Amino acid sequence: MVHHESVKDLPGDIRRWKFEIEWIGEIKDGQTVHRAIGIDICDPDVWGNGIGTSALRAFINYYFEHAVDELYTQTWSGNVRMLRCAEKLGFVECNRNVGTRKVGGQKFDGLTFRLKREEIDVLTL
């Protein structure tokens, strides 16, 4: 059995039985460093049950309680579930790159969202 550091590194034909929340790292924009998070729920049978929103909410609370002031996440305009999740959690769109993502042969916008601790109360679990 081969261990993969992230589900992103798995071959496409491997069945993934977990979900991951990742600290994507730091997106550098000039001298500013942005902290970004992401989630990957591999099994479509569990999509739409709110587990991604609940997991991200707990993850966000942890970082906001430990002196992180803002977080970013990125997705594409056709990812309806992630868009709904981001909205529920209070993320606000802050950047749109029109037509930069190609999924299934169709072009979508690349979206970046920001969540500032000062603009929300600690998220209710």
Side-chain angles (χ1 to χ4, degrees), residues 85-93 114-116 119-120 123:
C85 176
E87 180 182 344
K88 285 182 199 175
L89 294 172
F91 280 92
V92 175
E93 184 180 328
R114 178 180 58 221
L115 181 65
K116 290 186 174 186
E119 294 176 355
I120 62 166
L123 301 170

Side-chain angles (χ1 to χ4, degrees), residues 2-68:
V2 176
H3 172 74
H4 293 276
E5 190 65 29
S6 169
V7 294
K8 292 178 185 176
D9 299 328
L10 286 171
D13 60 345
I14 298 288
R15 175 83 177 182
R16 300 178 294 173
W17 295 97
K18 64 179 181 172
F19 73 94
E20 281 189 4
I21 299 175
E22 293 188 289
W23 184 263
I24 295 173
E26 299 176 342
I27 303 168
K28 294 185 180 181
D29 178 18
Q31 298 299 317
T32 307
V33 174
H34 305 291
R35 292 178 174 86
I37 59 171
I39 188 166
D40 185 10
I41 301 175
C42 306
D43 186 352
D45 293 338
V46 298
W47 293 352
N49 295 315
I51 62 170
T53 301
S54 294
L56 274 178
R57 184 177 288 123
F59 194 72
I60 290 165
N61 280 336
Y62 173 82
Y63 282 101
F64 279 179
E65 290 168 0
H66 290 87
V68 171

Side-chain angles (χ1 to χ4, degrees), residues 73-80 82-83 86 101 109-113:
T73 193
Q74 295 178 314
T75 192
W76 51 286
S77 58
N79 189 345
V80 177
M82 185 59 206
L83 294 172
R101 294 286 304 265
D109 297 348
L111 306 173
T112 301
F113 296 89

